Amino acid sequence: MILAIDTTDLHPQEALQIAQPLWVTLACALVLAVALGVACIMLSGRKRAKQVQHDDEEQHALPNSTDGWIARVNEVAGQYDSGKLSRDDAFAALAAIARSYASHMSGRALASNTLVDLRRQPRTGHAQNWDLLRQTVAALYPPEFANEDHPAARDVSVRQASDWVITLIERWK
């Protein structure tokens, strides 16, 4: 069986007029790209401005002496003892003080660093400082998140954890 196409009724067509829709599509894409770029710049700029402002406010509120930092630790322990803070909140506050102190002393932003982040930090200056910070934060995590099979971690008191943070403050070089 042979198939053939009848070519007797074929007529040439005009060239496709695609130039105008192509330019319209290109113009829309450019306007959208510019709008997204402006939105990204505005949103990232606002976030940075707020964070810088928060860091400046926090710096003014930070104690300048070791005694001031120790007073902050004792204040957390006192609030826990008086029932104003839960055990979990006290451990979280103590970990925040430890990170804040290390940030203040090292000039690095450590406030939101996890234990994994702290392990990845380069050990510049006195390596003992970083080891002590990692140990302190690692010791503060288990009392808050311990499993049933770690009763020793559950028995840690807020006062004992406060002593760990005070030790960090006193030994930092």
Side-chain angles (χ1 to χ4, degrees):
M1 174 191 242
I2 297 176
L3 294 175
I5 298 176
D6 182 19
T7 60
T8 58
D9 195 27
L10 294 179
H11 303 288
Q13 297 291 321
E14 293 180 27
L16 292 176
Q17 298 296 328
I18 195 165
Q20 184 177 4
L22 186 61
W23 283 113
V24 170
T25 303
L26 182 62
C28 289
L30 286 174
V31 168
L32 181 63
V34 169
L36 287 174
V38 169
C40 288
I41 290 170
M42 289 178 59
L43 292 175
S44 67
R46 285 183 187 167
K47 186 175 183 180
R48 286 185 187 149
K50 286 180 182 178
Q51 185 171 356
V52 169
Q53 182 182 6
H54 176 69
D55 290 345
D56 289 343
E57 289 171 2
E58 184 177 319
Q59 288 296 328
H60 292 298
L62 295 177
N64 289 325
S65 68
T66 302
D67 293 337
W69 287 97
I70 292 172
R72 285 182 68 186
V73 172
N74 288 329
E75 181 180 339
V76 169
Q79 288 179 347
Y80 170 75
D81 292 339
S82 68
K84 293 179 182 175
L85 280 180
S86 69
R87 184 173 189 268
D88 289 347
D89 289 341
F91 281 107
L94 291 171
I97 291 171
R99 286 187 188 94
S100 182
Y101 178 76
S103 294
H104 181 72
M105 296 303 289
S106 68
R108 294 184 194 176
L110 305 169
S112 61
N113 283 18
T114 65
L115 188 55
V116 173
D117 295 334
L118 293 176
R119 286 185 182 134
R120 291 180 182 159
Q121 284 285 333
R123 297 173 64 201
T124 57
H126 292 290
Q128 294 171 344
N129 292 341
W130 300 108
D131 292 339
L132 190 57
L133 175 63
R134 289 179 192 120
Q135 290 170 354
T136 302
V137 172
L140 291 170
Y141 278 167
E144 188 174 354
F145 303 108
N147 295 330
E148 295 289 329
D149 57 345
H150 292 90
R154 290 202 178 270
D155 292 337
V156 173
S157 69
V158 171
R159 182 53 68 183
Q160 186 178 11
S162 299
D163 291 341
W164 296 338
V165 177
I166 290 171
T167 299
L168 168 72
I169 293 168
E170 290 175 342
R171 291 188 182 173
W172 192 279
K173 297 177 185 175

